Amino acid sequence: MGSRFKIIRKKRKTAILGAFYSAKRNEVFYYSRPLARAHTGIFKRKESTINFDGTTQSLVPYSIGKEDSAFISQEFTRNTELAITSTKSLPTSLYLLQQGRIDLVAGTKEVGKYWLEYSTEVNLDKNKIEYLLPDLATHKLYLVISQSNYRAKEYLQKFNRGIDAIVENGSIADIMKKHNFSNEKITEYINFLKEN
């Protein structure tokens, strides 16, 4: 498990927001209701020609960078033919890609696009890298709390009730508007919360 998960297990933090579900994590964490959706897949240099058909098997000819603790998909994890280079972070993998030291980067689309826009860790040029469609996987994101926290269930119950309340009273839309979400994204997100 990544460093964020080690910190919570050692009780230095109460919760982690934005965790994917995994059977291994389920052994030590309690999960909130689903809060969002994230997409995992492949980044490439814009100038590169990559023959990607949406399957992990089509990635076998390429060298792939990936953050050490990142989960991409079950199919990706199980494919032992992939040439994967683990790095300490997604920005590091993207930098190696930008420099031509690897062919591709596997990671979370939303996180990768954020780092390409705002990276201070390494010097990334968002105009040189793009995300390939289709996604390899889509994951629901959760708030997780360690099962060793004696108040974990109480915290999650209060958190879930709070999400229900702001969806029901409409204040979630106001919050999202303050953070410059489009009306389309607000509607999409509220529908996601109502369905999950």
Short mmCIF file of all heavy atoms in Angstrom, two decimals, residues 96-153:
data_model
loop_
_atom_site.label_atom_id
_atom_site.label_comp_id
_atom_site.label_asym_id
_atom_site.label_seq_id
_atom_site.Cartn_x
_atom_site.Cartn_y
_atom_site.Cartn_z
N LEU A 96 9.55 11.34 -17.05
CA LEU A 96 10.32 10.35 -17.82
C LEU A 96 9.72 10.16 -19.21
O LEU A 96 10.44 10.03 -20.19
CB LEU A 96 10.35 9.01 -17.08
CG LEU A 96 11.14 8.98 -15.78
CD1 LEU A 96 10.97 7.62 -15.09
CD2 LEU A 96 12.61 9.29 -16.01
N LEU A 97 8.39 10.18 -19.30
CA LEU A 97 7.71 10.10 -20.58
C LEU A 97 8.06 11.30 -21.45
O LEU A 97 8.44 11.15 -22.62
CB LEU A 97 6.19 10.03 -20.37
CG LEU A 97 5.32 10.08 -21.62
CD1 LEU A 97 5.54 8.84 -22.48
CD2 LEU A 97 3.85 10.20 -21.22
N GLN A 98 7.96 12.47 -20.89
CA GLN A 98 8.26 13.72 -21.62
C GLN A 98 9.69 13.71 -22.14
O GLN A 98 9.95 14.18 -23.26
CB GLN A 98 8.05 14.91 -20.68
CG GLN A 98 8.30 16.26 -21.31
CD GLN A 98 7.96 17.36 -20.31
OE1 GLN A 98 6.81 17.60 -20.02
NE2 GLN A 98 8.98 18.03 -19.81
N GLN A 99 10.61 13.12 -21.38
CA GLN A 99 12.02 13.07 -21.78
C GLN A 99 12.32 11.94 -22.76
O GLN A 99 13.44 11.79 -23.21
CB GLN A 99 12.91 12.92 -20.54
CG GLN A 99 12.80 14.08 -19.56
CD GLN A 99 13.09 15.41 -20.23
OE1 GLN A 99 14.11 15.58 -20.87
NE2 GLN A 99 12.17 16.36 -20.09
N GLY A 100 11.31 11.10 -23.06
CA GLY A 100 11.50 10.01 -24.01
C GLY A 100 12.19 8.80 -23.41
O GLY A 100 12.63 7.91 -24.15
N ARG A 101 12.24 8.71 -22.10
CA ARG A 101 12.92 7.58 -21.45
C ARG A 101 11.99 6.37 -21.32
O ARG A 101 12.46 5.26 -21.08
CB ARG A 101 13.49 8.01 -20.12
CG ARG A 101 14.61 9.03 -20.36
CD ARG A 101 15.17 9.66 -19.13
NE ARG A 101 15.62 8.70 -18.15
CZ ARG A 101 15.91 9.03 -16.90
NH1 ARG A 101 15.80 10.28 -16.50
NH2 ARG A 101 16.31 8.11 -16.04
N ILE A 102 10.70 6.58 -21.45
CA ILE A 102 9.71 5.50 -21.50
C ILE A 102 8.71 5.86 -22.59
O ILE A 102 8.62 7.02 -23.01
CB ILE A 102 8.99 5.28 -20.14
CG1 ILE A 102 8.41 6.61 -19.63
CG2 ILE A 102 9.90 4.62 -19.13
CD1 ILE A 102 7.65 6.49 -18.31
N ASP A 103 7.94 4.87 -23.04
CA ASP A 103 6.97 5.11 -24.13
C ASP A 103 5.63 5.61 -23.64
O ASP A 103 4.96 6.39 -24.32
CB ASP A 103 6.73 3.80 -24.90
CG ASP A 103 8.00 3.26 -25.54
OD1 ASP A 103 8.78 4.06 -26.09
OD2 ASP A 103 8.20 2.03 -25.47
N LEU A 104 5.21 5.13 -22.46
CA LEU A 104 3.87 5.42 -21.95
C LEU A 104 3.89 5.57 -20.43
O LEU A 104 4.84 5.14 -19.78
CB LEU A 104 2.90 4.26 -22.28
CG LEU A 104 2.75 3.88 -23.74
CD1 LEU A 104 2.00 2.56 -23.86
CD2 LEU A 104 2.02 4.98 -24.50
N VAL A 105 2.82 6.15 -19.90
CA VAL A 105 2.61 6.19 -18.46
C VAL A 105 1.21 5.69 -18.18
O VAL A 105 0.25 6.11 -18.83
CB VAL A 105 2.79 7.61 -17.88
CG1 VAL A 105 2.30 7.70 -16.45
CG2 VAL A 105 4.25 8.05 -17.96
N ALA A 106 1.08 4.79 -17.22
CA ALA A 106 -0.22 4.33 -16.76
C ALA A 106 -0.55 5.08 -15.48
O ALA A 106 0.29 5.19 -14.58
CB ALA A 106 -0.19 2.83 -16.49
N GLY A 107 -1.77 5.62 -15.42
CA GLY A 107 -2.16 6.36 -14.23
C GLY A 107 -3.60 6.82 -14.28
O GLY A 107 -4.34 6.49 -15.21
N THR A 108 -3.97 7.59 -13.28
CA THR A 108 -5.32 8.13 -13.20
C THR A 108 -5.41 9.38 -14.06
O THR A 108 -4.62 10.31 -13.89
CB THR A 108 -5.68 8.45 -11.74
OG1 THR A 108 -5.52 7.27 -10.96
CG2 THR A 108 -7.12 8.95 -11.61
N LYS A 109 -6.36 9.39 -14.99
CA LYS A 109 -6.51 10.49 -15.94
C LYS A 109 -6.62 11.83 -15.23
O LYS A 109 -5.90 12.78 -15.56
CB LYS A 109 -7.73 10.26 -16.83
CG LYS A 109 -8.03 11.43 -17.76
CD LYS A 109 -9.10 11.14 -18.81
CE LYS A 109 -10.44 10.89 -18.26
NZ LYS A 109 -11.48 10.77 -19.32
N GLU A 110 -7.51 11.94 -14.28
CA GLU A 110 -7.77 13.22 -13.62
C GLU A 110 -6.54 13.71 -12.86
O GLU A 110 -6.21 14.90 -12.89
CB GLU A 110 -8.98 13.09 -12.67
CG GLU A 110 -10.29 12.83 -13.37
CD GLU A 110 -10.55 11.36 -13.75
OE1 GLU A 110 -9.70 10.48 -13.46
OE2 GLU A 110 -11.59 11.09 -14.36
N VAL A 111 -5.83 12.81 -12.20
CA VAL A 111 -4.62 13.19 -11.45
C VAL A 111 -3.51 13.59 -12.41
O VAL A 111 -2.82 14.58 -12.21
CB VAL A 111 -4.18 12.04 -10.52
CG1 VAL A 111 -2.88 12.39 -9.81
CG2 VAL A 111 -5.28 11.72 -9.51
N GLY A 112 -3.34 12.81 -13.47
CA GLY A 112 -2.31 13.13 -14.46
C GLY A 112 -2.54 14.48 -15.11
O GLY A 112 -1.61 15.28 -15.27
N LYS A 113 -3.79 14.75 -15.47
CA LYS A 113 -4.09 16.05 -16.08
C LYS A 113 -3.87 17.19 -15.10
O LYS A 113 -3.40 18.26 -15.49
CB LYS A 113 -5.53 16.05 -16.63
CG LYS A 113 -5.65 15.22 -17.89
CD LYS A 113 -7.03 15.32 -18.51
CE LYS A 113 -7.05 14.61 -19.85
NZ LYS A 113 -8.30 14.78 -20.56
N TYR A 114 -4.16 16.96 -13.83
CA TYR A 114 -3.88 17.98 -12.81
C TYR A 114 -2.37 18.26 -12.76
O TYR A 114 -1.94 19.41 -12.78
CB TYR A 114 -4.38 17.52 -11.43
CG TYR A 114 -3.91 18.44 -10.33
CD1 TYR A 114 -4.63 19.60 -10.03
CD2 TYR A 114 -2.74 18.18 -9.62
CE1 TYR A 114 -4.19 20.46 -9.04
CE2 TYR A 114 -2.30 19.05 -8.64
CZ TYR A 114 -3.02 20.19 -8.35
OH TYR A 114 -2.57 21.05 -7.38
N TRP A 115 -1.57 17.19 -12.68
CA TRP A 115 -0.12 17.39 -12.59
C TRP A 115 0.44 18.06 -13.83
O TRP A 115 1.36 18.87 -13.73
CB TRP A 115 0.60 16.06 -12.32
CG TRP A 115 0.48 15.63 -10.89
CD1 TRP A 115 -0.13 14.50 -10.42
CD2 TRP A 115 0.96 16.32 -9.74
NE1 TRP A 115 -0.07 14.46 -9.05
CE2 TRP A 115 0.61 15.56 -8.61
CE3 TRP A 115 1.66 17.51 -9.55
CZ2 TRP A 115 0.92 15.94 -7.30
CZ3 TRP A 115 1.98 17.89 -8.24
CH2 TRP A 115 1.61 17.12 -7.15
N LEU A 116 -0.09 17.73 -14.98
CA LEU A 116 0.38 18.38 -16.21
C LEU A 116 0.08 19.88 -16.19
O LEU A 116 0.85 20.68 -16.73
CB LEU A 116 -0.25 17.73 -17.45
CG LEU A 116 0.28 16.34 -17.78
CD1 LEU A 116 -0.59 15.69 -18.85
CD2 LEU A 116 1.73 16.41 -18.23
N GLU A 117 -1.00 20.25 -15.56
CA GLU A 117 -1.39 21.66 -15.48
C GLU A 117 -0.65 22.42 -14.38
O GLU A 117 -0.25 23.57 -14.56
CB GLU A 117 -2.91 21.75 -15.26
CG GLU A 117 -3.48 23.14 -15.33
CD GLU A 117 -3.51 23.71 -16.75
OE1 GLU A 117 -3.70 22.94 -17.71
OE2 GLU A 117 -3.34 24.94 -16.88
N TYR A 118 -0.45 21.76 -13.23
CA TYR A 118 0.02 22.50 -12.04
C TYR A 118 1.29 21.96 -11.40
O TYR A 118 1.62 22.37 -10.29
CB TYR A 118 -1.09 22.50 -10.98
CG TYR A 118 -2.37 23.12 -11.45
CD1 TYR A 118 -3.48 22.32 -11.74
CD2 TYR A 118 -2.47 24.49 -11.64
CE1 TYR A 118 -4.67 22.88 -12.19
CE2 TYR A 118 -3.65 25.06 -12.09
CZ TYR A 118 -4.75 24.25 -12.36
OH TYR A 118 -5.91 24.81 -12.80
N SER A 119 2.02 21.09 -12.04
CA SER A 119 3.17 20.46 -11.40
C SER A 119 4.23 21.47 -10.97
O SER A 119 4.65 22.32 -11.73
CB SER A 119 3.83 19.45 -12.34
OG SER A 119 4.97 18.90 -11.72
N THR A 120 4.64 21.33 -9.72
CA THR A 120 5.80 22.06 -9.22
C THR A 120 6.91 21.07 -8.85
O THR A 120 8.04 21.47 -8.64
CB THR A 120 5.43 22.89 -7.97
OG1 THR A 120 4.87 22.02 -6.97
CG2 THR A 120 4.42 23.97 -8.31
N GLU A 121 6.55 19.79 -8.80
CA GLU A 121 7.52 18.75 -8.44
C GLU A 121 8.58 18.57 -9.53
O GLU A 121 9.76 18.45 -9.26
CB GLU A 121 6.77 17.44 -8.19
CG GLU A 121 7.64 16.34 -7.62
CD GLU A 121 6.82 15.10 -7.29
OE1 GLU A 121 5.66 15.21 -6.88
OE2 GLU A 121 7.39 14.01 -7.43
N VAL A 122 8.12 18.54 -10.78
CA VAL A 122 9.02 18.43 -11.93
C VAL A 122 8.50 19.36 -13.02
O VAL A 122 7.36 19.79 -12.99
CB VAL A 122 9.11 16.98 -12.48
CG1 VAL A 122 9.80 16.06 -11.49
CG2 VAL A 122 7.76 16.43 -12.85
N ASN A 123 9.35 19.67 -13.99
CA ASN A 123 8.98 20.59 -15.06
C ASN A 123 8.27 19.84 -16.18
O ASN A 123 8.91 19.26 -17.04
CB ASN A 123 10.23 21.31 -15.59
CG ASN A 123 9.89 22.40 -16.57
OD1 ASN A 123 8.75 22.86 -16.61
ND2 ASN A 123 10.87 22.78 -17.36
N LEU A 124 6.93 19.86 -16.15
CA LEU A 124 6.14 19.17 -17.16
C LEU A 124 5.56 20.16 -18.15
O LEU A 124 5.15 21.25 -17.78
CB LEU A 124 5.00 18.38 -16.50
CG LEU A 124 5.42 17.23 -15.60
CD1 LEU A 124 4.21 16.64 -14.89
CD2 LEU A 124 6.14 16.15 -16.39
N ASP A 125 5.49 19.75 -19.42
CA ASP A 125 4.89 20.57 -20.46
C ASP A 125 3.61 19.89 -20.92
O ASP A 125 3.64 18.87 -21.61
CB ASP A 125 5.87 20.71 -21.63
CG ASP A 125 5.36 21.63 -22.72
OD1 ASP A 125 4.14 21.94 -22.75
OD2 ASP A 125 6.18 22.01 -23.59
N LYS A 126 2.47 20.47 -20.53
CA LYS A 126 1.17 19.86 -20.84
C LYS A 126 0.91 19.76 -22.34
O LYS A 126 0.08 18.97 -22.77
CB LYS A 126 0.04 20.65 -20.17
CG LYS A 126 -0.15 22.04 -20.72
CD LYS A 126 -1.25 22.77 -19.99
CE LYS A 126 -1.40 24.18 -20.54
NZ LYS A 126 -2.42 24.92 -19.85
N ASN A 127 1.65 20.51 -23.14
CA ASN A 127 1.46 20.47 -24.59
C ASN A 127 2.17 19.30 -25.26
O ASN A 127 2.01 19.07 -26.45
CB ASN A 127 1.92 21.79 -25.22
CG ASN A 127 1.11 22.95 -24.72
OD1 ASN A 127 -0.12 22.89 -24.69
ND2 ASN A 127 1.78 24.00 -24.28
N LYS A 128 2.98 18.56 -24.49
CA LYS A 128 3.73 17.44 -25.06
C LYS A 128 3.14 16.08 -24.73
O LYS A 128 3.57 15.07 -25.29
CB LYS A 128 5.18 17.49 -24.57
CG LYS A 128 5.94 18.69 -25.11
CD LYS A 128 7.39 18.64 -24.70
CE LYS A 128 8.14 19.83 -25.30
NZ LYS A 128 9.55 19.82 -24.94
N ILE A 129 2.17 16.04 -23.82
CA ILE A 129 1.63 14.76 -23.34
C ILE A 129 0.11 14.77 -23.49
O ILE A 129 -0.54 15.78 -23.24
CB ILE A 129 2.04 14.52 -21.87
CG1 ILE A 129 3.57 14.43 -21.76
CG2 ILE A 129 1.38 13.26 -21.32
CD1 ILE A 129 4.08 14.35 -20.34
N GLU A 130 -0.44 13.60 -23.86
CA GLU A 130 -1.90 13.47 -23.96
C GLU A 130 -2.35 12.14 -23.37
O GLU A 130 -1.57 11.19 -23.28
CB GLU A 130 -2.37 13.61 -25.40
CG GLU A 130 -1.88 12.51 -26.32
CD GLU A 130 -2.28 12.74 -27.78
OE1 GLU A 130 -3.06 13.64 -28.06
OE2 GLU A 130 -1.78 11.98 -28.63
N TYR A 131 -3.61 12.09 -23.02
CA TYR A 131 -4.23 10.88 -22.48
C TYR A 131 -4.92 10.15 -23.63
O TYR A 131 -5.60 10.76 -24.45
CB TYR A 131 -5.26 11.27 -21.41
CG TYR A 131 -5.91 10.10 -20.72
CD1 TYR A 131 -5.29 9.45 -19.67
CD2 TYR A 131 -7.17 9.67 -21.11
CE1 TYR A 131 -5.89 8.38 -19.03
CE2 TYR A 131 -7.78 8.59 -20.48
CZ TYR A 131 -7.14 7.96 -19.44
OH TYR A 131 -7.74 6.90 -18.81
N LEU A 132 -4.73 8.84 -23.69
CA LEU A 132 -5.33 8.02 -24.74
C LEU A 132 -6.68 7.45 -24.32
O LEU A 132 -6.83 7.00 -23.18
CB LEU A 132 -4.42 6.84 -25.09
CG LEU A 132 -3.11 7.16 -25.80
CD1 LEU A 132 -2.29 5.89 -25.95
CD2 LEU A 132 -3.37 7.78 -27.15
N LEU A 133 -7.62 7.47 -25.22
CA LEU A 133 -8.89 6.80 -24.98
C LEU A 133 -8.91 5.51 -25.79
O LEU A 133 -8.26 5.45 -26.84
CB LEU A 133 -10.05 7.71 -25.40
CG LEU A 133 -10.25 8.92 -24.50
CD1 LEU A 133 -11.32 9.84 -25.07
CD2 LEU A 133 -10.62 8.50 -23.08
N PRO A 134 -9.59 4.48 -25.35
CA PRO A 134 -10.48 4.43 -24.20
C PRO A 134 -9.73 4.23 -22.89
O PRO A 134 -8.55 3.86 -22.89
CB PRO A 134 -11.37 3.22 -24.50
CG PRO A 134 -10.48 2.30 -25.29
CD PRO A 134 -9.60 3.22 -26.11
N ASP A 135 -10.42 4.47 -21.78
CA ASP A 135 -9.86 4.22 -20.45
C ASP A 135 -9.61 2.72 -20.29
O ASP A 135 -10.33 1.90 -20.87
CB ASP A 135 -10.83 4.65 -19.35
CG ASP A 135 -11.25 6.11 -19.46
OD1 ASP A 135 -10.36 6.96 -19.65
OD2 ASP A 135 -12.45 6.39 -19.33
N LEU A 136 -8.62 2.38 -19.49
CA LEU A 136 -8.43 0.98 -19.14
C LEU A 136 -9.45 0.54 -18.09
O LEU A 136 -9.88 -0.60 -18.07
CB LEU A 136 -7.01 0.73 -18.62
CG LEU A 136 -5.90 0.77 -19.66
CD1 LEU A 136 -4.54 0.66 -19.01
CD2 LEU A 136 -6.08 -0.35 -20.69
N ALA A 137 -9.82 1.47 -17.20
CA ALA A 137 -10.80 1.14 -16.14
C ALA A 137 -11.40 2.42 -15.59
O ALA A 137 -10.84 3.51 -15.74
CB ALA A 137 -10.12 0.37 -15.02
N THR A 138 -12.55 2.26 -14.97
CA THR A 138 -13.21 3.34 -14.23
C THR A 138 -13.40 2.85 -12.81
O THR A 138 -13.81 1.70 -12.59
CB THR A 138 -14.57 3.69 -14.86
OG1 THR A 138 -14.36 4.09 -16.21
CG2 THR A 138 -15.25 4.82 -14.11
N HIS A 139 -13.06 3.69 -11.85
CA HIS A 139 -13.13 3.31 -10.44
C HIS A 139 -13.97 4.31 -9.66
O HIS A 139 -13.90 5.52 -9.90
CB HIS A 139 -11.73 3.32 -9.81
CG HIS A 139 -10.73 2.49 -10.54
ND1 HIS A 139 -10.62 1.14 -10.35
CD2 HIS A 139 -9.80 2.81 -11.46
CE1 HIS A 139 -9.65 0.67 -11.13
NE2 HIS A 139 -9.15 1.67 -11.81
N LYS A 140 -14.73 3.80 -8.71
CA LYS A 140 -15.40 4.68 -7.77
C LYS A 140 -14.39 5.06 -6.69
O LYS A 140 -13.51 4.27 -6.34
CB LYS A 140 -16.61 3.98 -7.15
CG LYS A 140 -17.72 3.78 -8.16
CD LYS A 140 -18.92 3.09 -7.54
CE LYS A 140 -20.01 2.93 -8.59
NZ LYS A 140 -21.16 2.19 -8.07
N LEU A 141 -14.52 6.28 -6.20
CA LEU A 141 -13.63 6.79 -5.16
C LEU A 141 -14.39 6.92 -3.84
O LEU A 141 -15.57 7.29 -3.84
CB LEU A 141 -13.06 8.16 -5.55
CG LEU A 141 -12.24 8.19 -6.83
CD1 LEU A 141 -11.84 9.62 -7.15
CD2 LEU A 141 -11.01 7.31 -6.70
N TYR A 142 -13.70 6.67 -2.75
CA TYR A 142 -14.31 6.63 -1.43
C TYR A 142 -13.46 7.40 -0.42
O TYR A 142 -12.27 7.63 -0.63
CB TYR A 142 -14.40 5.19 -0.93
CG TYR A 142 -15.13 4.25 -1.84
CD1 TYR A 142 -14.48 3.63 -2.90
CD2 TYR A 142 -16.47 3.97 -1.64
CE1 TYR A 142 -15.16 2.76 -3.75
CE2 TYR A 142 -17.16 3.10 -2.48
CZ TYR A 142 -16.49 2.50 -3.53
OH TYR A 142 -17.16 1.64 -4.36
N LEU A 143 -14.08 7.72 0.70
CA LEU A 143 -13.37 8.14 1.89
C LEU A 143 -13.12 6.85 2.67
O LEU A 143 -14.05 6.05 2.83
CB LEU A 143 -14.22 9.11 2.72
CG LEU A 143 -13.61 9.55 4.05
CD1 LEU A 143 -12.68 10.72 3.81
CD2 LEU A 143 -14.70 9.94 5.03
N VAL A 144 -11.90 6.62 3.12
CA VAL A 144 -11.61 5.41 3.90
C VAL A 144 -11.06 5.79 5.26
O VAL A 144 -10.36 6.79 5.41
CB VAL A 144 -10.62 4.45 3.17
CG1 VAL A 144 -11.22 3.90 1.91
CG2 VAL A 144 -9.28 5.10 2.92
N ILE A 145 -11.42 4.95 6.24
CA ILE A 145 -10.93 5.12 7.61
C ILE A 145 -10.46 3.75 8.08
O ILE A 145 -11.13 2.73 7.85
CB ILE A 145 -12.03 5.66 8.54
CG1 ILE A 145 -12.49 7.04 8.06
CG2 ILE A 145 -11.53 5.75 9.98
CD1 ILE A 145 -13.60 7.67 8.87
N SER A 146 -9.34 3.73 8.78
CA SER A 146 -8.78 2.48 9.27
C SER A 146 -9.75 1.78 10.21
O SER A 146 -10.36 2.42 11.08
CB SER A 146 -7.46 2.75 10.00
OG SER A 146 -6.98 1.55 10.59
N GLN A 147 -9.86 0.48 10.07
CA GLN A 147 -10.72 -0.30 10.96
C GLN A 147 -10.20 -0.28 12.39
O GLN A 147 -10.95 -0.55 13.32
CB GLN A 147 -10.83 -1.73 10.45
CG GLN A 147 -11.60 -1.85 9.16
CD GLN A 147 -11.68 -3.28 8.63
OE1 GLN A 147 -11.38 -4.23 9.35
NE2 GLN A 147 -12.09 -3.43 7.38
N SER A 148 -8.93 0.07 12.58
CA SER A 148 -8.37 0.14 13.93
C SER A 148 -8.82 1.39 14.69
O SER A 148 -8.65 1.47 15.90
CB SER A 148 -6.84 0.09 13.88
OG SER A 148 -6.33 1.25 13.25
N ASN A 149 -9.42 2.35 13.99
CA ASN A 149 -9.95 3.55 14.64
C ASN A 149 -11.28 3.18 15.28
O ASN A 149 -12.23 2.85 14.58
CB ASN A 149 -10.12 4.67 13.62
CG ASN A 149 -10.56 5.97 14.22
OD1 ASN A 149 -11.38 6.01 15.14
ND2 ASN A 149 -10.03 7.06 13.71
N TYR A 150 -11.37 3.26 16.60
CA TYR A 150 -12.57 2.81 17.29
C TYR A 150 -13.80 3.64 16.94
O TYR A 150 -14.93 3.20 17.15
CB TYR A 150 -12.35 2.77 18.81
CG TYR A 150 -12.34 4.12 19.49
CD1 TYR A 150 -13.48 4.60 20.12
CD2 TYR A 150 -11.19 4.91 19.49
CE1 TYR A 150 -13.48 5.84 20.74
CE2 TYR A 150 -11.19 6.15 20.09
CZ TYR A 150 -12.34 6.61 20.73
OH TYR A 150 -12.34 7.84 21.34
N ARG A 151 -13.63 4.82 16.37
CA ARG A 151 -14.76 5.66 15.98
C ARG A 151 -15.00 5.65 14.47
O ARG A 151 -15.80 6.42 13.96
CB ARG A 151 -14.53 7.09 16.46
CG ARG A 151 -14.49 7.18 17.99
CD ARG A 151 -14.32 8.58 18.48
NE ARG A 151 -15.55 9.34 18.25
CZ ARG A 151 -15.64 10.64 18.45
NH1 ARG A 151 -14.60 11.33 18.88
NH2 ARG A 151 -16.77 11.26 18.23
N ALA A 152 -14.35 4.76 13.75
CA ALA A 152 -14.41 4.75 12.29
C ALA A 152 -15.85 4.65 11.77
O ALA A 152 -16.25 5.43 10.91
CB ALA A 152 -13.57 3.61 11.73
N LYS A 153 -16.61 3.72 12.28
CA LYS A 153 -17.99 3.54 11.79
C LYS A 153 -18.83 4.77 12.09
O LYS A 153 -19.65 5.18 11.27
CB LYS A 153 -18.61 2.28 12.39
CG LYS A 153 -18.03 1.01 11.79
CD LYS A 153 -18.72 -0.23 12.33
CE LYS A 153 -18.14 -1.48 11.69
NZ LYS A 153 -18.78 -2.70 12.19
#
